[in-house]
Each structure stands twice: as C-alpha cells, then as structure tokens.
Amino acid sequence: MADQILTDAKSKMKKAEESLQRELGQIRAGRANASLLDRVSVVYYGAPTPVNQLASITIPEARILMITPFDKSSIKEIEKAIMASDIGITPTSDGNVIRLVIPQLTEERRKELAKDVKKAAESAKVAVRNARRDALDAYKKQEKASDITEDDLRDAEKAVQTATDDSIKAVDKIAADKEQELLEV
C-alpha cells in the first residue's frame, strides 16, 4: 500500500512534466516544429481528424513546415483548418503541398514568450507539489491508523521528497531548454 502511494505520486509528477512539455511544444520559437500542428483538426468525410493523420509533415528548412496530404482532394480542407486555427500563420499552397513559413520573432516577442514559459513551468511545479502533498497526507493517515510506523513514515517522506526534487529539476530543465530555444537569434 505504501509503495502504491509513492508510485501514484511519481506518476502524477511525470504527468505534470509531460503536460509542460506538450504546452511548451505549442509555443512558436521562430523555427519549424511539427508539434505546432498537433491541435489542428480537419473535418474530413464528416469527422474531425488531426492534420498529422491526413498528411505527412516535413521540415525542409529551419523555418518552413511542409504538409503533403495523402489525399490531394483534402488540401483545401487542410488549408481552411490551418487558417481557422490559432497558430497565426497563413498557409501557401501549390495544389500539391502546403507550406507554412514561420516568421522570425522580434526581441520583444521572444521575451514575452520566455515569460509564458516561466508561468507554464511554475504551474507544472505547483502540480508536482500538489502530488507531494497528497502523498504525504496519505502516508500520515496510514501512520495515524497504525498501518505504518513513525520510522516508515519518515522514510516515506524522504522518498516522496526525493521524487519531488527530481521532478522539479526535470521541469526546470524543460523550461530552461525552451527559454534557450526562444532567446537564440
């Protein structure tokens, strides 16, 4: 039972890290990244379908995303979906492929995005700390019910704190990497 609490806490912490990674993947850094299109869905034969299931997405140059539909008849629908999305890039099409040219970021915009990265990282850290608090509460309940000893409680608290520290370090690294990517010119 005690091991299950630690496993659950670690799982929640890992999910917070993964969520941060996904969230930061949506932030444009002035270079092409296929995850930019993850949230774009196209109505294809009446069903909303992610772009990456309708087309291959390649990066021929650092600032260009090239979308090659598997079915050429869906090119207009993909274009419409990109225009309607919140990515803020106008697609250009030659009838066979769609190109998205990622604009260079201004210095001011880079700093703004770096602040957004810090906010997202702080939210992830809060989620990690919440997982720690839940685990510690569960261990304290077990100790109160005499399911575990005080020594077991102390050991469990140390294990939870170690997991928390590792997770916070991972969140910091993810955020630092994204900030580095944003502030590079």
Side-chain angles (χ1 to χ4, degrees):
M1 178 71 182
D3 290 337
Q4 186 59 45
I5 295 170
L6 182 60
T7 304
D8 289 348
K10 283 182 178 178
S11 170
K12 287 178 185 174
M13 291 175 189
K14 190 75 180 150
K15 284 181 183 160
E17 293 168 30
E18 290 165 357
S19 174
L20 175 66
Q21 192 84 51
R22 275 193 309 278
E23 191 176 337
L24 296 184
Q26 302 298 324
I27 295 177
R28 273 207 327 256
R31 68 173 65 128
N33 185 345
S35 67
L36 196 60
L37 297 171
D38 283 354
R39 293 183 301 176
V40 179
S41 286
V42 179
V43 178
Y44 187 65
Y45 288 109
T49 311
V51 170
N52 58 9
Q53 291 180 13
L54 291 174
S56 69
I57 301 168
T58 56
I59 304 169
E61 293 175 38
R63 291 187 24 231
I64 296 177
L65 269 179
M66 193 161 72
I67 305 159
T68 310
F70 302 128
D71 174 8
K72 300 287 184 229
S73 66
S74 66
I75 203 160
K76 289 284 180 214
E77 298 304 316
I78 294 173
E79 257 186 294
K80 271 191 232 169
I82 293 170
M83 290 293 282
S85 73
D86 62 353
I87 62 172
I89 301 172
T90 306
T92 55
S93 168
D94 64 7
N96 294 321
V97 295
I98 299 171
R99 285 183 183 77
L100 294 177
V101 179
I102 315 296
Q104 256 323 47
L105 295 175
T106 63
E107 190 62 32
E108 189 177 308
R109 182 71 179 132
R110 287 175 193 275
K111 286 179 180 167
E112 241 175 76
L113 290 172
K115 283 181 190 171
D116 291 346
V117 168
K118 283 188 174 109
K119 277 185 202 159
E122 196 49 50
S123 295
K125 287 180 187 178
V126 167
V128 167
R129 290 184 197 116
N130 287 342
R132 175 186 63 188
R133 184 196 61 224
D134 294 346
L136 292 177
D137 288 349
Y139 280 127
K140 285 175 184 165
K141 278 183 191 165
Q142 281 189 336
E143 197 255 342
K144 207 171 223 173
S146 300
D147 291 341
I148 61 174
T149 65
E150 275 186 49
D151 289 342
D152 291 339
L153 175 64
R154 225 179 344 276
D155 292 344
E157 285 175 343
K158 282 181 189 162
V160 169
Q161 188 58 48
T162 301
T164 303
D165 293 344
D166 292 345
S167 193
I168 295 285
K169 275 185 202 147
V171 165
D172 285 340
K173 179 164 179 17
I174 292 167
D177 290 349
K178 187 63 179 188
E179 266 187 69
Q180 175 79 33
E181 182 184 332
L182 283 170
L183 297 175
E184 280 176 7
V185 179

